[in-house]
Amino acid sequence: MLFMKGSPKEPRCGFSKQMVEILSRHGVAFSTFDIFSDEEVRQGLKTFSNWPTYPQLYVAGELIGGLDIVKELEASGELDTVCPKAQKLEDRLKSLINKAPVMLFMKGNKQMAKCGFSKQILEIMNSTGVDYETFDILEDEEVRQGLKSFSNWPTYPQLYVKGELVGGLDIVKELKESGELLPALKGEN
């Protein structure tokens, strides 16, 4: 957590701007709090942390320090080990694909499809009795666009079994008609 003057898009002092630039350059995952938005927090944090200036960087609830400390950590190469990295999109996609043995990326979720293709694939999946998880691509544009490239499959829904792309609605329909869907969902082929 970075307590700063302003926001990352509109820092209201040079020190806060430099801090945001350093953290961003290193791919650090961080959230911010604008100390100008709450005078009580602004004054209280100085006492609480025994650190008289801003910005102040905290990792896992512990004060790391201000800009000078962060610059020293950057120079020594320690910043990357002290601060948590933002998860790379590819790692995030792999994690989502493997969240469950059978994973369906669709518009909507198990309870409510938000397009006709997603509705059809839900009906097919529910008829198999196989347990599966869903991910609503309408809720996350980064995943929606990234998964198209990652899987080299341009449309949704997309069905994955044990981390491997099975395909979209047409493939699932073909597998159902040929009697291969259940074995495919169980990872037997």
Side-chain angles (χ1 to χ4, degrees):
M1 173 68 83
L2 176 60
F3 291 87
M4 62 180 283
K5 295 176 179 175
S7 68
K9 289 185 179 168
E10 290 183 37
R12 292 173 60 189
C13 83
F15 297 126
S16 292
K17 182 178 185 202
Q18 287 180 60
M19 181 79 89
V20 167
E21 288 170 353
I22 291 169
L23 296 177
S24 298
R25 187 167 56 242
H26 284 264
V28 174
F30 68 98
S31 55
T32 62
F33 182 87
D34 181 357
I35 56 160
F36 286 141
S37 71
D38 191 322
E39 188 62 25
E40 190 176 28
V41 170
R42 181 180 181 178
Q43 296 308 326
L45 197 57
K46 288 179 184 181
T47 307
F48 174 80
S49 64
N50 197 22
W51 197 271
T53 59
Y54 289 99
Q56 292 181 16
L57 180 66
Y58 288 76
V59 174
E62 297 293 320
L63 176 68
I64 300 302
L67 180 61
D68 51 345
I69 301 292
V70 170
K71 282 182 171 179
E72 287 174 19
L73 289 170
E74 182 183 37
S76 71
E78 293 175 82
L79 185 64
D80 292 326
T81 56
V82 170
C83 294
K85 291 285 195 191
Q87 194 176 17
K88 288 191 174 86
L89 179 60
E90 187 173 322
D91 294 337
R92 188 166 168 236
L93 294 174
K94 286 177 184 173
S95 175
L96 285 170
I97 288 167
N98 289 288
K99 184 178 172 195
V102 180
M103 227 16 235
L104 178 61
F105 292 82
M106 59 179 284
K107 293 178 180 173
N109 57 41
K110 273 186 182 181
Q111 291 71 38
M112 191 179 93
K114 294 182 183 171
C115 84
F117 299 119
S118 292
K119 185 175 191 260
Q120 288 179 58
I121 205 165
L122 279 183
E123 289 168 357
I124 294 170
M125 293 299 295
N126 291 338
S127 73
T128 66
V130 171
D131 193 35
Y132 66 98
E133 291 291 320
T134 60
F135 183 91
D136 185 353
I137 55 145
L138 297 175
E139 299 292 318
D140 192 319
E141 190 62 22
E142 187 180 43
V143 169
R144 181 180 184 175
Q145 297 307 324
L147 197 57
K148 288 179 186 181
S149 302
F150 181 82
S151 63
N152 198 23
W153 196 269
T155 59
Y156 289 99
Q158 290 183 16
L159 180 66
Y160 290 79
V161 175
K162 295 182 179 173
E164 296 294 321
L165 176 68
V166 173
L169 178 60
D170 291 346
I171 302 289
V172 170
K173 280 181 174 177
E174 288 173 18
L175 289 170
K176 184 181 180 199
E177 288 167 14
S178 69
E180 298 173 70
L181 182 59
L182 209 50
L185 291 176
K186 292 179 179 177
E188 294 171 358
N189 57 344

